[in-house]
Amino acid sequence: MRELVVAVYDGVVLLDVAGPVQILHGSRGYRIRHASIDGRPVRTDIGLPLGVDLALGEIEGPVDTLLVPGYAPPDGDRPGEAFLDLLRDLGSRARRVASVCTGALLLAEAGLLDGRRATTHWAACADLASRFPSVTVEPDAIFVRDGPVVTSAGVTAGIDLALALVEEDHGPDLARAVAKYMVVFLQRPGGQSQFSVRGAVPAPRHPALRGLLDMIAAEPAAEHTLAAMAAQITVSERHLSRLFRREVGLTPGQYVEQIRVEAAQALLETSAEPVASIARRCGLGSDETMRRTFLKVLGITPTAYRRRFHSTDHSPTRPKETL
């Protein structure tokens, strides 16, 4: 039985706690304790009270795993400095530190992500990148492992993270059995690009960059090379790359690619248009280029994506698909 501490606080997202804990409890391989700053119950983001076992300051000696769930992005209730101080101390004594959703920002504030790669909820990736330049943010990852620190994307990605911990600690057979029982993917296809990249990016402070993002979204098939985009807003290519990194959390090429994939996803979901035609309309070139891009960004082919997400007739005469 491995010792696992879940650090909770007022405003913690309930599913960030419940999802991973349900997986870890189901594996029967962990002694799980919930700890708050004062040992008292906390109020979750939906107002439901959550009981705890002890205060963070009462935990003595080493801990196998420290799990830090998040607060509701972008501006939900978050803990103060006293919590971060305890997190910093406990994290230094833990064999492994993990976070769910915006818990990554709490790790960053506690200095536990300095010089590491990390991810968080898509709506908070740009914030993480701009506030903590020493952290290399991977905005499309479901979870990122860097040494003893593992960070995951938003909400249900905590389930993916927990299954990865079970696999690491107790082997793939147990992780597969737990995933099957919970009716979830052992390794889900695709990354955070399956969610709206335009909605994930906060409004940039730079007015010219705001206009550029709107133009890319409106015309994904237009010429959006680094040189063309820099010329469009009359800045150098190097400065444009810095602006994207600071305010968007992606490189210009990554942003354009994800916008084009998102446009193609919308057409695959709602139309019967051939894949090759969709590829051209969305700036992805040929059907083969679109296939390679989908595999890289989403982890599945355009045809498989359409089969899974295309609007269907749910009349009683139509046989239902099974998972």
Side-chain angles (χ1 to χ4, degrees):
M1 296 289 285
R2 294 175 180 266
E3 176 84 6
L4 187 140
V5 173
V6 185
V8 295
Y9 49 89
D10 284 333
V12 68
V13 173
L14 177 61
L15 195 53
D16 282 8
V17 179
V21 168
Q22 190 71 55
I23 294 293
L24 297 165
H25 174 77
S27 74
R28 302 183 185 279
Y30 301 88
R31 179 193 180 212
I32 303 169
R33 296 190 292 171
H34 294 77
S36 66
I37 190 169
D38 54 9
R40 296 178 181 176
V42 299
R43 174 185 46 79
T44 67
D45 65 316
I46 62 170
L48 192 70
L50 179 67
V52 303
D53 301 294
L54 74 170
L56 285 164
E58 295 173 355
I59 300 171
E60 299 179 351
V63 171
D64 183 80
T65 302
L66 170 64
L67 178 65
V68 183
Y71 52 88
D75 53 3
D77 293 342
R78 54 198 300 171
E81 282 298 324
F83 180 89
L84 297 176
D85 289 341
L86 290 167
L87 203 63
R88 189 177 300 112
D89 173 65
L90 193 54
S92 69
R93 293 187 275 124
R95 178 183 70 87
R96 179 176 60 198
V97 178
S99 68
V100 182
C101 191
T102 49
L105 280 91
L106 301 179
L107 295 187
E109 289 183 52
L112 298 173
L113 290 185
D114 290 350
R116 297 192 182 279
R117 296 178 298 111
T119 194
T120 186
H121 191 288
W122 55 260
C125 282
D127 188 28
L128 180 61
S130 63
R131 289 177 55 201
F132 304 99
S134 67
V135 180
T136 301
V137 180
E138 297 190 7
D140 190 44
I142 294 297
F143 63 87
V144 172
R145 188 192 314 269
D146 189 330
V149 181
V150 193
T151 53
S152 66
V155 195
T156 59
I159 293 173
D160 302 81
L161 169 69
L163 285 168
L165 299 184
V166 172
E167 182 173 7
E168 178 183 314
D169 296 340
H170 303 289
D173 290 343
L174 180 58
R176 191 176 299 109
V178 174
K180 183 177 180 180
Y181 183 78
M182 298 294 178
V183 199
V184 295
F185 288 112
L186 178 59
Q187 183 177 1
R188 85 165 80 183
Q192 295 196 74
S193 293
Q194 57 198 296
F195 308 108
S196 170
V197 63
R198 193 69 178 94
V201 175
R205 294 185 296 273
H206 195 290
L209 184 58
R210 285 199 300 272
L212 179 61
L213 298 190
D214 291 339
M215 184 186 71
I216 296 168
E219 299 182 74
E223 182 184 5
H224 297 309
T225 63
L226 181 61
M229 290 189 291
Q232 180 71 30
I233 63 172
T234 60
V235 298
S236 70
E237 294 178 27
R238 178 176 294 182
H239 184 55
L240 181 63
S241 296
R242 284 197 298 266
L243 281 175
F244 265 85
R245 167 69 179 167
R246 185 178 70 233
E247 301 202 30
V248 180
L250 298 167
T251 68
Q254 286 172 329
Y255 183 81
V256 171
E257 181 178 69
Q258 291 191 21
I259 285 290
R260 286 172 172 169
V261 167
E262 187 175 305
Q265 286 175 271
L267 290 174
L268 289 169
E269 292 168 11
T270 58
S271 78
E273 192 173 341
V275 170
S277 174
I278 291 175
R280 290 192 296 272
R281 284 184 60 186
C282 298
L284 292 170
S286 66
D287 53 353
E288 178 56 30
T289 300
M290 179 169 161
R291 180 180 179 277
R292 290 197 302 268
T293 304
F294 262 57
L295 283 171
K296 181 179 75 171
V297 174
L298 297 178
I300 56 176
T301 66
T303 302
Y305 183 89
R306 167 173 271 168
R307 193 162 52 238
R308 183 175 298 167
F309 295 109
H310 190 272
S311 299
T312 56
D313 176 12
H314 296 292
S315 63
T317 58
R318 187 182 181 92
K320 294 181 179 179
E321 292 184 343
T322 57
L323 182 63

